Amino acid sequence: MTDPNAIQPSALDQLPDRDPEETAEWQASLDAVAKAAGPHRAAYLMRRTLERAEGTGIALPKLLETDYVNTIPTPAEPSAPGDEAMEARITAWNRWNAAAMVTRGSKYGVGGHIATFASAAWLYETGFNHFFKGKEADGSGDQLYIQGHASPGIYARAFLDGRLNEQQLDNFRQEAGGNGLPSYPHPRRLPWLWEFPTVSMGLGPLSAIYQARFNRYLTNRGIKDVSASHVWAFLGDGEMDEPESTAALALASREGLDNLTFVINCNLQRLDGPVRANFKIVQELEAQFRGAGWNVVKTLWGTAWDELFQLDTTGALVRRLREVPDAQVQTYQTRDAAYIRQDFFGKDPELAAMAKLLSDDKILECFHLSRGGHEARKVYAAYKAAVEFKGAPTVILAQTVKGHTLGEGFASKNANHQMKKLTVDEFKTMRDLLELPISDAQFVDGVVPYGHPGADSPEVRYLQERRAALGGPAPARRVHPVAPLPAPAEKAFASFDKGSGSQNVATTMAFVRLIKDLVRDKESGKRWVPIVPDEARTFGMESLFPSLGIYSPKGQTYEPVDRDQLMYYKEAQNGQILNEGITEAGSMADFIAASTAYSTHGETMIPFYIFYSMFGWQRTADQMWQLGDQLGRGFLVGATAGRTTLTGEGLQHADGHSPVIAATNPAALTYDPAFAYEVAAIVKDGLRRMYGEAAPGEDQNVFYYLTVYNEPLPQPAKPAVDGVDEGIVKGLYRFNTAESAGLSPVANAPRIQLLGSGTAIHWTLKAQQLLADEWGVAADVWSATSWTELRRDALEADAALLRGEERMPYVRQALQGADGPVLAVSDYMRQVPDQIAQWVEQDYSSLGADGFGLSDTREAARRHFGVDAESIVVAALAQLAKRGEVKATAVKEAREKYGL
């Protein structure tokens, strides 16, 4: 059995030792130190030696954890500019008003969070006064991802600087009247203030990384120089448990995103208790970020601790701080000095001796109050170190106390995230602690007053002067006045109207060909942002590689293996394609950054993100909701769509439900086009609506979701009848009738209306032929390009009716006067076409691919789900038999004939 205490071989054992005697001397020295001064001293020397090696560029593995102390020692802290006393008064007002706002709202039962901002107040105030650049600064200013639960503090500051009034504060979480404040950062609800929605936790840090990366993309492509912009993401230590929070750390370091800083508020508490009760979250995060290549700055202890560290001549204090678990640190926050003396200092004779030199007040000051995140000078030093560090992103781990200054009833209590109010007495205690000039008489009928020093007070003047020096208010969202993009040349779209003749073309191929034409447009071509998660060749996009280039901040440092081929793999610093690897989440974060560049940077970009449809809405629907929240614009393209078109891949790739999920997103316009000319018409309309001249009343802040298929089929010409383009955009038009299809049904033949979407229309057309040839039934075929848009239009008509306005839903208008029942078919579950059922006046039924997918041929899968042409025929006959228009025996005969 191997001795676990024996020295294990390492990679160095594989290298020849040029001087074994020298090596032995170094090892003997380490042994001697360990024997004479103890293993802790030996470990200390080794850590310092590794740090020196790292600092001088010697190639060694990085030290992943440092001692549980501040990265920047007090003597090395730079002097913070400005008036710290003034900033303390501003912070006090913000603390008060944040707590007052939530407490006043609690009587309505709307809730709110107090403790998070109380812990993070200085993290924000220091940034607002000295670091966060506004929209009038160079480039586009900074991008701020505010921790969602801290929003009351941000509102309080906006109240202080005159951007919000008391009525608005009193409408916190009460938005129905139109003058309220959303609970959390929300651009759709408060579009002049918030840029980034951050409360679906984990998405904020992921989006911040890709926003910083997209900033570099814009600069490197020559769209706009935003190199002066810095991305700041304020996060909670509990939030870092979300897998999305750390999913892209390696990307940020790999691409050297030194325009990015994470500020993690380490108050050691989740929503219901300690983050790492038995461990240390700060140390864990430090190792995680260092291992990913980030610069790490720890800001843990306030200046009150300086005296203790000076007394720690043996390292006993530092060792004890490393070993005490987080939950015990929280306990010290709530216990008296005697308990701390016994439990913290009493574990080590050297610490016990140190404690005798400390007063009870000193011990309580250190353990109850003095944290690095609560001191402006220490926060300033950390921020300055972050913005000056080059070559890698920085994470600041700032230790705070959750509920700081809110009183003993809040600080470090497990339940403080759910505590929504303070009593009047607790407010008075808080007032005295913060030294605010608020009298007892101002508490009228037990209602806590808002506090404001006056619009012309020194505090407000100072606040506004600092923001003016940094480029204007923050946070702030601006939509810059930009001219609508000119429409691309009509021939790019019209070329699809004539069809493909005898050539089989999948709609995925048609979409890619359309994009190839559009990116060549002189006016708007450079603004397209193609995004793909390592499936470009699957979608036939490799032809774009040499012409557009794949974005890489390093360019191409190698000779590609396919350099001698026409469609070789070309990377470039100014590359246009974002080829993200196997990460749908990262690709969606790219899309969000690009889709909101019109606001963030005043530059209109046109992102399209193409992906396996199964791994879009199912995997990243939360980010798609974030996209809608953030008022993003662009094209999501679900390729290899449908439940029966990619059956060789099996169950996990068989998408039969994406349009159902997409229908739940109010910002998503969902289309399931059947033909290439429909794809072109939808993209053309999307460019007009989102980037051109939107019609009156049209919301530009939408995004389009198109499903496209990998099944090569002949593409028909666009029907030469009026209203086709309108029908494509609105969701339904008649593709043909039995007569126009040349089927010549007999006089007074039974008639049925067949509605098909996407690839299902091809089975529907075959069924139309079978019904005419074998059963004497006339069928008209309709292309339902968007069941969801038809439903939304109908819902709007219903709402108008309640207002006393008469308006017929478009689906009813389109089908008005159509003879016979309606049978709707799609390659998705029946819930998709059934969205319109209640507004169809005719008898209505549907077919769809409900249930799990399976591996087999397309034909077998469609027979399995009962959506193939023969199944459609049987279902159509059943509908007509119910009405007495065909014999009941025809249904049985058809089942037997087709082997169903």
Side-chain angles (χ1 to χ4, degrees):
M1 182 179 292
T2 302
D3 180 0
N5 297 313
I7 297 175
Q8 301 298 312
S10 70
L12 294 177
D13 295 329
Q14 308 301 314
L15 302 175
D17 191 340
R18 294 186 304 170
D19 192 341
E21 185 176 345
E22 181 185 37
T23 303
E25 289 175 357
W26 276 77
Q27 292 171 337
S29 297
L30 181 64
D31 292 342
V33 171
K35 183 176 181 180
H40 297 300
R41 176 62 180 169
Y44 175 86
L45 291 175
M46 287 301 298
R47 285 199 301 273
R48 294 296 175 263
T49 302
L50 287 170
E51 288 171 355
R52 173 59 62 89
E54 183 179 331
T56 55
I58 297 174
L60 283 174
K62 289 188 176 182
L63 189 66
L64 294 186
E65 280 191 40
T66 60
D67 288 324
Y68 201 66
V69 295
N70 294 349
T71 302
I72 305 171
T74 300
E77 292 170 358
S79 298
D83 186 335
E84 188 173 327
M86 179 68 74
E87 292 173 18
R89 292 203 295 275
I90 292 171
T91 305
W93 285 116
N94 291 340
R95 289 180 183 279
W96 176 272
N97 287 323
M101 172 175 34
V102 176
T103 298
R104 287 166 67 123
S106 67
K107 67 181 179 180
Y108 302 111
V110 296
H113 301 287
I114 305 176
T116 295
F117 177 73
S119 68
W122 274 112
L123 302 179
Y124 292 107
E125 194 59 37
T126 302
F128 285 131
N129 286 324
H130 302 290
F131 292 95
F132 304 157
K133 295 186 287 291
K135 296 300 182 184
E136 282 81 41
D138 292 341
S140 305
D142 288 353
Q143 288 85 55
L144 307 180
Y145 288 77
I146 303 294
Q147 191 179 1
H149 294 123
S151 62
I154 308 305
Y155 291 139
R157 198 173 199 276
F159 170 65
L160 205 63
D161 73 8
R163 292 195 292 165
L164 291 174
N165 56 42
E166 285 195 18
Q167 181 186 8
Q168 288 171 302
L169 295 192
D170 267 348
N171 285 334
F172 175 60
R173 293 194 169 196
Q174 299 174 71
E175 301 175 71
N179 196 32
L181 302 180
S183 311
Y184 304 123
H186 206 308
R188 191 168 284 276
R189 289 288 179 252
L190 206 61
W192 59 267
L193 180 71
W194 298 119
E195 278 195 284
F196 307 108
T198 54
V199 177
S200 190
M201 286 193 281
L203 298 190
L206 179 67
S207 292
I209 289 173
Y210 279 89
Q211 181 67 58
R213 195 281 198 90
F214 190 74
N215 290 357
R216 290 281 172 85
Y217 172 90
L218 285 179
T219 301
N220 287 337
R221 286 198 55 216
I223 302 292
K224 182 178 182 179
D225 184 358
V226 294
S227 56
S229 292
H230 200 88
V231 177
W232 300 81
F234 288 83
L235 316 167
D237 47 0
E239 181 177 3
M240 301 311 293
D241 284 348
E242 290 282 6
E244 296 89 350
S245 295
T246 55
L249 298 187
L251 168 73
S253 61
R254 182 170 66 244
E255 300 205 0
L257 298 181
D258 49 23
N259 60 337
L260 170 68
T261 297
F262 277 15
V263 182
I264 302 181
N265 178 15
C266 297
N267 56 35
L268 313 185
Q269 287 185 250
R270 290 193 185 116
L271 308 186
D272 291 318
V275 178
R276 293 290 183 273
N278 297 295
F279 306 93
K280 301 191 80 64
I281 185 60
V282 169
Q283 299 300 92
E284 180 181 318
L285 291 174
E286 178 184 27
Q288 193 168 15
F289 278 87
R290 281 185 182 275
W294 287 52
N295 176 45
V296 179
V297 177
K298 293 197 293 192
T299 302
L300 307 180
W301 308 110
T303 52
W305 283 82
D306 289 349
E307 180 183 341
L308 276 67
F309 289 125
Q310 289 169 4
L311 294 172
D312 185 29
T313 58
T314 65
L317 176 62
V318 173
R319 292 196 301 273
R320 181 69 178 132
L321 288 173
R322 280 178 63 88
E323 70 187 23
V324 175
D326 284 352
Q328 192 63 25
V329 173
Q330 299 296 82
T331 298
Y332 294 148
Q333 178 70 35
T334 63
R335 297 300 182 90
D336 59 20
Y339 178 87
I340 298 170
R341 284 183 186 277
Q342 177 182 353
D343 192 85
F344 181 83
F345 292 97
K347 303 291 186 181
D348 186 298
E350 293 174 349
L351 288 180
M354 179 191 295
K356 292 178 181 179
L357 303 175
L358 304 173
S359 68
D360 284 356
D361 286 345
K362 182 66 176 179
I363 289 174
L364 293 178
E365 180 186 14
C366 289
F367 284 84
H368 284 194
L369 302 173
S370 187
R371 300 289 188 275
H374 295 322
E375 295 192 12
R377 178 175 177 177
K378 296 195 178 295
V379 175
Y380 179 87
Y383 286 8
K384 189 170 188 291
V387 297
E388 292 179 352
F389 190 87
K390 299 304 176 186
T394 294
V395 60
I396 296 168
L397 304 174
Q399 186 163 269
T400 65
V401 175
K402 193 167 185 178
H404 184 60
T405 73
L406 296 180
E408 294 182 0
F410 265 83
S412 291
K413 294 299 177 64
N414 282 341
N416 61 19
H417 191 78
Q418 305 302 326
M419 297 163 68
K420 313 298 182 188
K421 59 184 178 180
L422 280 72
T423 66
V424 169
D425 288 341
E426 286 171 331
F427 265 109
K428 290 179 179 178
T429 300
M430 180 183 177
R431 170 201 61 189
D432 296 341
L433 174 66
L434 299 176
E435 299 180 347
L436 291 172
I438 297 173
S439 67
D440 287 355
Q442 291 177 261
F443 290 82
V444 179
D445 296 328
V447 177
V448 58
Y450 293 119
H452 200 293
D456 196 39
S457 64
E459 292 92 336
V460 174
R461 288 202 305 272
Y462 181 90
L463 181 157
Q464 293 176 340
E465 288 167 2
R466 292 305 309 142
R467 288 312 315 156
L470 287 165
R477 180 180 180 273
R478 299 278 177 85
V479 177
H480 304 263
V482 293
L485 286 182
E490 179 62 28
K491 72 175 184 177
F493 306 103
S495 63
F496 293 90
D497 292 352
K498 61 184 180 182
S500 64
S502 61
Q503 181 183 6
N504 288 338
V505 177
T507 50
T508 299
M509 297 163 60
F511 176 82
V512 172
R513 182 187 140 193
L514 173 63
I515 294 301
K516 286 174 64 177
D517 290 341
L518 293 176
V519 295
R520 295 192 188 106
D521 185 83
K522 292 181 180 180
E523 295 289 338
S524 60
K526 69 177 182 179
R527 298 193 174 273
W528 283 89
V529 184
I531 303 167
V532 60
D534 200 37
E535 290 284 1
R537 296 182 192 279
T538 300
F539 306 135
M541 292 175 58
E542 65 269 30
S543 61
L544 299 177
F545 288 170
S547 58
L548 301 184
I550 299 166
Y551 173 74
S552 169
K554 289 184 174 292
Q556 193 154 38
T557 62
Y558 61 92
E559 183 178 358
V561 67
D562 53 359
R563 182 63 181 86
D564 58 342
Q565 298 179 16
L566 180 63
M567 294 183 287
Y568 69 96
Y569 197 84
K570 177 187 174 183
E571 296 188 80
Q573 193 173 28
N574 64 346
Q576 194 165 349
I577 301 169
L578 292 172
N579 192 5
E580 289 303 0
I582 305 174
T583 168
E584 286 84 5
S587 299
M588 268 307 302
D590 265 337
F591 188 92
I592 292 169
S595 71
T596 53
Y598 74 92
S599 170
T600 310
H601 296 297
E603 294 289 343
T604 300
M605 306 302 288
I606 312 171
F608 81 85
Y609 163 37
I610 188 167
F611 49 89
Y612 265 53
S613 66
M614 183 68 163
F615 306 129
W617 287 90
Q618 175 168 298
R619 181 166 288 181
T620 57
D622 198 12
Q623 287 178 285
M624 290 160 175
W625 194 268
Q626 180 190 17
L627 167 64
D629 280 351
Q630 204 166 313
L631 307 176
R633 306 169 184 173
F635 296 95
L636 297 176
V637 183
T640 61
R643 181 147 279 164
T644 70
T645 58
L646 195 67
T647 51
E649 298 283 355
L651 175 92
Q652 291 183 320
H653 287 63
D655 174 22
H657 52 277
S658 285
V660 178
I661 306 173
T664 66
N665 191 312
L669 277 62
T670 302
Y671 287 91
D672 187 25
F675 305 124
Y677 67 79
E678 293 178 353
V679 172
I682 293 164
V683 171
K684 179 182 177 181
D685 183 70
L687 290 173
R688 175 201 62 79
R689 177 169 176 174
M690 295 185 290
Y691 303 104
E693 297 286 354
E698 275 188 323
D699 184 4
Q700 284 191 284
N701 298 317
V702 295
F703 60 92
Y704 282 61
Y705 173 57
L706 285 75
T707 56
V708 292
Y709 295 83
N710 70 326
E711 187 172 12
L713 292 164
Q715 295 297 323
K718 182 192 290 188
V721 296
D722 293 338
V724 172
D725 286 331
E726 178 189 25
I728 291 171
V729 172
K730 289 191 172 182
L732 183 68
Y733 69 96
R734 184 156 50 193
F735 175 74
N736 68 19
T737 63
E739 291 77 11
S740 66
L743 299 178
S744 302
V746 298
N748 300 318
R751 187 173 291 269
I752 189 167
Q753 308 299 317
L754 301 179
L755 279 56
S757 69
T759 196
I761 203 166
H762 297 283
W763 328 325
T764 306
L765 289 167
K766 182 179 177 182
Q768 179 189 42
Q769 184 81 44
L770 292 174
L771 284 166
D773 292 348
E774 301 181 5
W775 304 99
V777 172
D780 300 337
V781 174
W782 300 69
S783 180
T785 54
S786 180
W787 309 102
T788 302
E789 287 306 296
L790 292 173
R791 174 180 174 79
R792 286 180 178 162
D793 172 79
L795 289 172
E796 290 172 7
D798 286 356
L801 186 63
L802 292 176
R803 297 191 300 267
E805 305 168 17
E806 290 288 342
R807 185 166 79 77
M808 183 182 293
Y810 176 80
V811 65
R812 187 170 293 172
Q813 292 178 43
L815 291 170
Q816 194 169 33
D819 292 336
V822 168
L823 175 60
V825 189
S826 86
D827 201 19
Y828 295 93
M829 54 197 302
R830 289 175 60 182
Q831 190 173 340
V832 175
D834 284 352
Q835 291 181 85
I836 67 169
Q838 72 185 82
W839 293 281
V840 175
E841 290 184 327
Q842 293 88 343
D843 293 338
Y844 185 91
S845 63
S846 65
L847 296 175
D850 286 75
F852 288 112
L854 75 167
S855 295
D856 211 309
T857 64
R858 289 175 177 139
E859 293 75 15
R862 287 161 188 168
R863 176 58 58 92
H864 169 81
F865 286 111
V867 292
D868 60 352
E870 291 79 7
S871 298
I872 295 172
V873 169
V874 172
L877 293 174
Q879 279 287 85
L880 293 168
K882 282 183 184 179
R883 297 159 58 96
E885 296 180 18
V886 299
K887 295 179 180 179
T889 56
V891 180
K892 181 181 178 183
E893 290 172 11
R895 282 201 305 267
E896 293 174 350
K897 179 180 178 69
Y898 301 130
L900 297 179

